[in-house]
Amino acid sequence: MASLLKISKHSLTLIRRYCTPLIYSDEVRTAKNDNKPIVALESTIITHGMPYPNNLETAMEVEDIIRKQGAVPATIAILKGQLTIGLTRTQLEYLAQAKDVIKASRRDLAMVVAGKQDGATTVAGTIISAELADIPVFVTGGIGGVHRDGEKTLDVSADLTELGRSKTLVVCSGAKSILDIGRTLEYLETQGVTVCAFGESKQFPAFYTRRSGFEAPYNVVDAEHAASVLHAARSLHLSSGIVVAVPVPEESAMDEKKIGTAISNALRNANDKGVRGKEITPFLLAAVSAATGGASLNTNIALIKNNAKVGADISIHYQKLRINAPIQSRRLHTSCRHMSDVLVIGGANVDRTYRITEEKIQLDGSTHACKTEQCAGGVGRNIAEALWRLSGGRAKLLTAVGDDADGRFLHNIAPGLILDGCFTKESSTATYAAMFDKKGECAIGLGDMEVHKHISPELVNKHIEILKNAPLIVIDGNIPQNTMEHVLELSQKYQKKVFFEPTDRRKSIKPFLNHQNITFATPNLLELKEIANYLNPHDIVCNEHDIIRLSKVVLKYVKNLIITMGAKGVMVVKYKDSGEIYLKFYPTQGLKTIENVSGAGDCFASGFIYGMLNDKPEETCVSIGFKCAEASLLCKTTVPAKFPFN
């Protein structure tokens, strides 16, 4: 499809405002809605700070410590270009083993997001993200600082300047021992950062050891004291941060002389190898770990767990102060409202195409030369991914995929899109294989969709809160009949709008077997005819082009019909308030070049939905749909990585 309609510059401006750079996990979004204390966590400790599986085990243990204290953890990372606040277990597992993840500080964030890459946020990157998400407390292991010989190399961590222009309280075990701690404290003072040792002493810790030989300007005796300092800073509208330096537990601290020797040797080794910039810290930490026989890693794990407990306690005390504060002082901390996720319930599969390069196909067991391509597919999955990309991650997919390589392939395309519990060991991920001749005509298609039977009412009930909060429920024809009826009953109970994509002619009648009502449907002409003849078997219509006659039957159960007509365009049919039938045709122009047709209809549906969620008029919704379909037709994957509006 390609649109004859143009979207005005004003319309595009309004659409862009709907996008958000953040994706919240369900746990974090619920915590924000319920005013629960939240603790931000960085992700470079997972990707660059520890080896696998220690990194994954520590990340999950740290999150559990925060939960047990009564707060909510929000590990922050960039997944396929989406800044994600709060990671699921599946996402943590992915990040812990992912390769070539970029360390994302302030300078890197825009490039990683624009490039749709994976990024692990550093202290600076996490502070920025926490500020965007209005999470005032952030826990890490140790902050960056001025590197040794920094007066010559000017190698100063961006963590320090970020602390100077943020309002975040950072809980850490001081600056890493590999740094020049004296100059680091001086730099923090210049930046106006409030630095406090945690406990009765002002002794500033040095990560692996409880003492650095330097004193912090202040100390906070406990979490409640630290929370009161944060609250006072916010009340004064200060725009610089707070460092709460927590000494490593005494039983886990390292010998100062031993760690000093290991660091000196590591620094010499780094200098000899020419290691510089953001690679120096992970290199030195790995070298120190090797020199200490892994003892430094154990210390690192112990201190981050202890910091998590302290940070959670500070967050809890601060939230009490925040809630009980006068309305005037609370105003600065009120986060903007975020629309809940659209819930898509439908099929997901891997599409494989085989394009024969020979003139003639012989179906007699002969081997033919071909070109093979693989991409993600499934009507529900395509719509969900397109909405996920259009709306900055505000879409969730309830589906069923196998716990296998194909399932991981689908997950990695849009991390966080597929809901927890959708992976099963009982069936393999659905696949569709199509063989095309040299002219591009499909000679045969093969599908293994057995896994979709696991899209059950029980799985829907597991995610009932998402359904309750969703502004729209999207279903496709791939879900089992009993699940579809269950979803429609829940949608009626909670007064939810339902958008139905029929998928194919045989599945198009599934919502109407019990004469259920839905809000939107996008049948093609053959599917419209199938639905109408099922609903009115006593007056069979043989000509699918008799749109008005067919539509009048279907409109008894569907409020809005968006009839897709391939390259010709779409027809919108509904009843006016006066009782007259409304019918409007939106034509398209053909494209000279087409790469892939399999995702165009699904992307049109997503564009239409996206416009509808922005309260755009029908003409604009259709036009956005056409633009999304056009983008799909021009790329080799079913859903393009980038749409015209984001």
Side-chain angles (χ1 to χ4, degrees):
M1 296 180 185
S3 176
L4 288 176
L5 301 170
K6 302 298 180 185
I7 302 175
S8 70
K9 191 176 290 185
H10 175 66
S11 295
L12 284 177
T13 301
L14 289 173
I15 290 165
R16 288 191 186 103
R17 286 177 186 165
Y18 176 75
C19 293
T20 172
L22 306 180
I23 297 176
Y24 293 98
S25 69
D26 296 336
E27 183 181 22
V28 172
R29 179 182 288 108
T30 300
K32 290 182 76 65
N33 290 339
D34 295 343
N35 283 321
K36 291 182 178 179
I38 304 171
V39 177
L41 298 166
E42 63 159 300
S43 48
T44 48
I45 196 170
I46 301 172
T47 57
H48 294 78
M50 296 180 188
Y52 180 82
N54 303 82
N55 56 353
L56 177 60
E57 293 167 356
T58 302
M60 292 192 295
E61 287 171 5
V62 165
E63 288 200 344
D64 285 341
I65 288 169
I66 290 170
R67 291 187 185 98
K68 287 176 182 176
Q69 293 300 113
V72 173
T75 303
I76 296 173
I78 302 170
L79 300 176
K80 297 293 183 287
Q82 292 289 346
L83 185 53
T84 307
I85 313 297
L87 303 184
T88 64
R89 181 187 176 93
T90 303
Q91 290 170 327
L92 286 171
E93 290 172 348
Y94 165 74
L95 202 61
Q97 301 176 75
K99 306 297 183 185
D100 302 321
V101 178
I102 298 170
K103 282 183 72 175
S105 187
R106 173 177 280 270
R107 72 169 188 180
D108 311 291
L109 290 174
M111 293 300 294
V112 176
V113 170
K116 308 294 184 183
Q117 296 170 288
D118 292 329
T121 53
T122 63
V123 170
T126 309
I127 288 172
I128 293 167
S129 306
E131 291 270 301
L132 287 171
D134 191 26
I135 301 174
V137 178
F138 161 40
V139 166
T140 185
I143 59 171
V146 179
H147 281 262
R148 300 189 188 193
D149 295 327
E151 71 277 13
K152 299 175 185 176
T153 64
L154 298 182
D155 192 351
V156 179
S157 172
D159 298 353
L160 304 186
T161 50
E162 210 57 58
L163 277 162
R165 56 187 168 196
S166 78
K167 304 185 296 294
T168 306
L169 183 147
V170 178
V171 179
C172 61
S173 288
K176 296 181 177 72
S177 311
I178 58 178
L179 303 170
D180 186 325
I181 293 178
R183 286 190 170 91
T184 297
L185 288 170
E186 288 289 343
Y187 200 101
L188 287 169
E189 181 180 356
T190 302
Q191 293 292 315
V193 179
T194 302
V195 179
C196 312
F198 186 79
E200 298 294 339
S201 170
K202 289 185 179 181
Q203 182 64 233
F204 190 77
F207 198 68
Y208 298 117
T209 61
R210 292 175 62 82
R211 293 171 295 277
S212 65
F214 296 91
E215 280 197 348
Y218 301 99
N219 68 300
V220 287
V221 295
D222 55 23
E224 189 172 3
H225 187 185
S228 67
V229 173
L230 174 60
H231 187 260
R234 294 285 178 116
S235 299
L236 291 168
H237 301 176
L238 300 180
S239 57
S240 54
I242 300 168
V243 170
V244 174
V246 183
V248 59
E250 195 157 1
E251 64 275 12
S252 301
M254 297 194 69
D255 179 82
E256 294 174 26
K257 186 175 180 180
K258 185 177 180 179
I259 198 69
T261 301
I263 289 171
S264 297
N265 292 336
L267 285 165
R268 279 195 297 271
N269 193 16
N271 187 58
D272 292 342
K273 292 185 176 182
V275 180
R276 297 286 184 272
K278 64 181 182 180
E279 302 304 324
I280 187 71
T281 297
F283 177 88
L284 293 175
L285 291 176
V288 169
S289 178
T292 59
S296 62
L297 177 60
N298 294 333
T299 299
N300 194 352
I301 293 171
L303 66 86
I304 186 64
K305 290 180 179 179
N306 187 54
N307 292 350
K309 182 178 183 299
V310 172
D313 289 343
I314 293 173
S315 181
I316 291 165
H317 284 293
Y318 173 70
Q319 190 69 3
K320 291 177 182 177
L321 292 171
R322 186 177 184 175
I323 292 171
N324 295 327
I327 292 174
Q328 293 88 338
S329 63
R330 258 188 271 155
R331 186 168 28 189
L332 276 178
H333 313 312
T334 303
S335 60
C336 58
R337 293 182 180 179
H338 299 278
M339 183 178 289
S340 298
D341 296 331
V342 174
L343 177 60
V344 182
I345 306 174
N349 54 265
V350 175
D351 288 347
R352 294 184 175 90
T353 59
Y354 304 87
R355 300 181 185 275
I356 307 295
T357 55
E358 300 175 14
E359 290 292 341
K360 187 177 180 181
I361 299 176
Q362 295 177 258
L363 299 178
D364 58 359
S366 301
T367 300
H368 296 283
C370 71
K371 291 184 178 179
T372 306
E373 293 178 352
Q374 173 178 300
C375 64
V379 170
R381 196 218 67 85
N382 293 345
I383 293 174
E385 185 195 343
L387 280 171
W388 187 81
R389 296 194 183 282
L390 285 166
S391 62
R394 277 178 278 195
K396 292 294 183 187
L397 174 61
L398 193 153
T399 186
V401 293
D403 186 9
D404 50 27
D406 283 342
R408 288 188 290 275
F409 169 73
L410 294 179
H411 162 75
N412 291 341
I413 289 172
L417 175 65
I418 300 175
L419 289 167
D420 288 342
C422 292
F423 291 82
T424 177
K425 296 182 182 294
E426 296 179 22
S427 300
S428 58
T429 300
T431 56
Y432 173 76
M435 183 176 69
F436 295 89
D437 62 22
K438 194 172 183 180
K439 296 178 182 179
E441 298 293 331
C442 183
I444 189 171
L446 301 170
D448 176 4
M449 306 291 171
E450 183 185 5
V451 71
H452 292 156
K453 69 184 181 183
H454 295 290
I455 308 174
S456 63
E458 291 74 24
L459 185 58
V460 173
N461 291 341
K462 181 180 178 181
H463 298 287
I464 190 69
E465 292 303 318
I466 296 177
L467 185 147
K468 287 180 182 179
N469 294 323
L472 182 72
I473 311 298
V474 181
I475 56 175
D476 75 9
N478 287 311
I479 63 179
Q481 184 64 41
N482 63 330
T483 304
M484 183 172 289
E485 291 175 5
H486 183 62
V487 170
L488 292 172
E489 288 170 3
L490 289 174
S491 299
Q492 185 176 9
K493 177 180 178 180
Y494 297 114
Q495 298 182 320
K496 295 295 172 183
K497 294 179 179 179
V498 176
F499 191 105
F500 174 57
E501 204 337 295
T503 308
D504 69 24
R505 182 179 59 81
R506 291 172 299 173
K507 299 174 183 177
S508 62
I509 64 171
K510 290 172 78 171
F512 310 104
L513 294 180
N514 287 325
H515 292 188
Q516 298 271 17
N517 291 306
I518 55 180
T519 320
F520 300 91
T522 52
N524 60 30
L525 290 173
L526 289 175
E527 290 162 352
L528 178 69
K529 177 185 171 185
E530 188 76 19
I531 297 168
N533 287 339
Y534 171 77
L535 292 172
N536 189 16
H538 304 295
D539 186 15
I540 298 295
V541 180
C542 297
N543 183 3
E544 66 268 15
H545 296 285
D546 193 349
I547 293 176
I548 294 180
R549 189 176 169 194
L550 292 170
S551 297
K552 283 183 177 180
V553 177
V554 180
L555 285 174
K556 294 177 182 178
Y557 301 97
V558 180
K559 289 184 179 179
N560 302 271
L561 280 171
I562 303 107
I563 304 165
T564 58
M565 304 172 72
K568 294 179 181 179
V570 301
M571 182 85 73
V572 177
V573 189
K574 57 189 175 183
Y575 278 115
K576 298 179 183 179
D577 292 338
S578 62
E580 296 178 299
I581 198 164
Y582 166 92
L583 185 147
K584 187 169 183 179
F585 176 62
Y586 294 92
T588 63
Q589 282 181 334
L591 293 175
K592 292 181 180 179
T593 304
I594 293 177
E595 289 286 348
N596 183 2
V597 300
S598 58
D602 303 332
C603 287
F604 169 81
S606 299
F608 186 93
I609 291 168
Y610 177 62
M612 189 171 59
L613 293 175
N614 279 281
D615 296 322
K616 298 289 162 255
E618 177 185 290
E619 182 175 300
T620 304
C621 293
V622 172
S623 187
I624 296 170
F626 282 155
K627 288 293 184 183
C628 292
E630 181 179 324
S632 175
L633 289 166
L634 294 174
C635 74
K636 291 186 177 181
T637 57
T638 49
V639 179
K642 186 173 179 60
F643 284 103
F645 321 119
N646 60 343

